[in-house]
Amino acid sequence: MKTKTALTLVCRSWHPLARSILLESVRITDIKQMESLVLLLESEHKAGKTGPASSAWWIRELWFDTTICTCAQPSEPNVAAKLLELCPRVLAFRKFGRSNCSVDDAQEVNLVLKPLICRTNDTKDEESHNRGTMLTHLDLAFSNMWSFEHFLSANTELGNEVPGIRSMELRPSYIFMIDDPDSESPSVKQVQPTLPSLVSLRLLGSLSMVQAARFNLPALRSLT
């Protein structure tokens, strides 16, 4: 952080050189920061800035660490999903807290996972590979025990697989038990989520162990 702060104090001619360091890892702690970043990336896109000329190109890690209160509603309901769509080269994503407290946890998880996981699943074509679209690390706080089942139910093209992720950390926030996939609920698939590429899993709290016990992890090598 000291290096990044120092770089912002140098003359403007340093900006192109410093951009990769300044933007490699972006941490958002307030909903207004997220909206400001979206506005910046959208303005660059409209101006025709693509590839290394755009700020989005250099964002490889995106941390969203905040708990949104009811007075901090975003002006854009799907701002988190829009931000992720604008950052196709994100390799690591951390999400602790909501980007919109008007939606329930299952919807919120789907909003952020869809542009990450489904984009990863579509990297079979050469153009996508060239863009470097491949999420490999995910940290997620959940309040619905069956968030991944909800996600798979909403994206049936994935079957029962959540592809691409090689390392993951799970931690519970407040837990509520609705739409149990073991029940007769029509909104949730009664499937066991499979993470075929996951080799490292970190669990914080006993409830995260309960959730992880529902997963099929054929490639797992490290569990802490």
Side-chain angles (χ1 to χ4, degrees):
M1 183 56 71
K2 289 183 179 180
T3 300
K4 290 186 176 184
T5 302
L7 287 173
T8 63
L9 301 177
V10 186
C11 62
R12 289 186 178 182
S13 60
W14 270 65
H15 186 261
L17 299 174
R19 179 181 290 183
S20 61
I21 299 175
L22 289 172
L23 296 174
E24 180 182 18
S25 181
V26 175
R27 182 175 181 180
I28 295 170
T29 58
D30 182 84
I31 190 64
K32 296 302 180 185
Q33 295 174 348
M34 183 181 294
E35 293 176 329
S36 297
L37 182 56
V38 167
L39 288 174
L40 168 65
L41 300 182
E42 285 184 327
S43 64
E44 289 186 347
H45 182 73
K46 291 176 181 177
K49 292 184 178 181
T50 59
S54 68
S55 299
W57 175 268
W58 300 105
I59 299 176
R60 305 296 270 169
E61 298 179 350
L62 188 57
W63 301 146
F64 176 56
D65 297 328
T66 184
T67 301
I68 307 301
C69 65
T70 55
C71 60
Q73 293 285 6
S75 56
E76 171 75 36
N78 296 331
V79 64
K82 179 174 286 189
L83 176 59
L84 293 169
E85 290 287 356
L86 290 166
C87 300
R89 284 165 48 83
V90 168
L91 291 174
F93 180 67
R94 177 194 299 267
K95 184 181 183 302
F96 300 143
R98 292 186 178 186
S99 62
N100 187 346
C101 43
S102 66
V103 298
D104 63 38
D105 184 74
Q107 290 176 300
E108 174 76 2
V109 169
N110 190 54
L111 282 174
V112 298
L113 287 186
K114 185 175 177 61
L116 290 167
I117 304 299
C118 293
R119 184 172 60 207
T120 296
N121 197 47
D122 292 336
T123 56
K124 298 172 183 177
D125 61 283
E126 184 176 349
E127 181 183 358
S128 294
H129 275 300
N130 291 338
R131 289 202 306 269
T133 56
M134 181 61 73
L135 176 74
T136 61
H137 180 89
L138 175 68
D139 291 348
L140 183 67
F142 60 93
S143 58
N144 187 307
M145 187 68 72
W146 302 285
S147 297
F148 282 88
E149 284 88 346
H150 276 278
F151 170 68
L152 291 173
S153 297
N155 298 278
T156 55
E157 71 278 6
L158 295 175
N160 67 334
E161 289 193 355
V162 182
I165 302 172
R166 292 183 53 81
S167 59
M168 181 168 67
E169 176 182 303
L170 290 177
R171 63 174 69 180
S173 51
Y174 62 93
I175 295 292
F176 57 92
M177 305 292 191
I178 63 171
D179 285 337
D180 183 347
D182 292 333
S183 71
E184 298 297 324
S185 172
S187 62
V188 185
K189 278 178 132 185
Q190 298 185 33
V191 297
Q192 182 181 32
T194 297
L195 288 83
S197 304
L198 194 74
V199 296
S200 177
L201 177 61
R202 186 182 183 196
L203 304 174
L204 299 179
S206 58
L207 288 172
S208 62
M209 297 180 189
V210 175
Q211 189 191 43
R214 307 180 70 88
F215 299 157
N216 180 23
L217 307 171
L220 188 66
R221 297 291 181 271
S222 175
L223 176 62
T224 54

